Amino acid sequence: MSHPKRVIVDLDATGVPEAPSSPENLKETGLSMGLLTDLILRSLYHRGVMLGLDLARYLCLPFKIVEEGIRFLKEEKCIEVTGGELIGRVSYKFALTDLGRRRAQDATTQCAYVGPAPVPLEDYVEQTYRQAVTGLATHPESLRKHFAHLVLKEDLFNAIGPAIISGKSVFIYGPPGNGKTAMARAIGDFMNAAGGSIFVPYAIQAEGGIITIFDPSLHQVDESDSGVHDESDARVKELLSTGTVDQRWVRIRRPVIVTGGELNLDMLDLRYNAAANFYQAPLHVKANGGVFLIDDFGRQLVSPKELLNRWILPLEDRHDFLTIASGKKFQVPFEQLIIFSTNLDPKDLVDDAFLRRIRHKVQIHAPTRDVYEKIFAAVCKRLGMAPLPEAIDYLYNRYYNQGRSPRASDCRDLLEIVQSICRYRRQPVHLTRDLIAEAASSFIAEF
């Protein structure tokens, strides 16, 4: 159990949750001396000779804590000083001795993780609940501007707000191409504005294992981070000063993670790298503090029943259990707004007992003609075309009144084809009835 963490209580103007504060000593990091020295050995083995400050940067720990591990390893004759300036150990160059190289190889065999030092599980749990989506202040005025780019009927807009403010699960269903994914992303944008950014650790330590959390392919670093993670003088001061933000955490925008038909049960468990002996967190853990959208629900490699059974307890209790290779389990928060989006009838996918656990059901219908015309006009404006009522008349007479249901996405897809045709023919981008007919003939399949 790590030392209870102090937090920086100053919140910035965007409402960023309290940031984890930099540890003052080894005990406050939650690391053992053994783990700290293993991280130093692996870092030097992986990267070669390093300055003391570079080691602190690499491990995202204050130098005075890294220095404790350096001193221990020097006494053990595992590292040596190979040069440096006269301004202190922070500028010394450190390298492995032959004994240190053998120790580093042994440490790598046990666990090959290198990079920022992990934070204790309990610190991660505490921070995640601090920045949960549940209870974000939401009202129509604040929500509306984040949906301004979408054309929504008022009843649909009014159904979204209570779903967001509850922080509970949402079932969005309706025909394809009508904005379910776009709505989920708009919810994520709103959360960033209303709830500020959040902090996630590079990695955590749980039950003796290291689990990576921060994923640059899914998490967007907050650009207002004021250079916390750059190589500037400010970054150096962060590592040498006290009372600053713990560099083992990354400030990110609230994540919006989308998965579709590729989702399977294995993706909801820890991903174990047997060769390196550490883990990667599952998708729903990476989504904590944000939105997790399961798109095309019902078309996954796993059946809806199996998938939802996996989440019966997390949906109700707001926590989940993960299992490491030894079989030990540990508890993690399940603190995201989870959205199930499907083109299928929910009653064909799950039973009433499970539908009850999904608190909000939002149905999206095919757009009425007045809504379709507004979407069409908005896309025309974005692409630099003048709206043409005759083009919409043609689509309705030729397709939509003949049985094909209109889709909101048709407007974008058809007009982008028109744009491509004009560019290919080296014509100014414009809209005519003949061009929309040509675009529709290649886009709308008729079997």
Side-chain angles (χ1 to χ4, degrees), residues 395-405:
L395 293 171
Y396 270 84
N397 292 333
R398 178 69 178 81
Y399 297 104
Y400 301 143
N401 291 340
Q402 305 305 317
R404 186 192 197 278
S405 180

Side-chain angles (χ1 to χ4, degrees), residues 195-266:
S197 354
I198 61 173
F199 293 88
V200 298
Y202 285 101
I204 64 173
Q205 184 185 17
E207 296 296 341
I210 293 178
I211 301 114
T212 58
I213 302 288
F214 174 68
D215 187 337
S217 70
L218 298 174
H219 295 141
Q220 181 182 352
V221 177
D222 193 331
E223 296 300 333
S224 63
D225 203 358
S226 303
V228 168
H229 298 282
D230 66 19
E231 299 296 322
S232 65
D233 290 342
R235 170 74 166 127
V236 173
K237 290 177 182 176
E238 292 283 350
L239 294 166
L240 298 179
S241 304
T242 59
T244 57
V245 175
D246 190 338
Q247 298 298 299
R248 295 176 295 170
W249 296 77
V250 190
R251 179 171 155 181
I252 65 167
R253 292 171 60 85
R254 288 187 181 266
V256 179
I257 295 178
V258 181
T259 183
E262 73 280 7
L263 182 65
N264 58 52
L265 289 181
D266 288 343

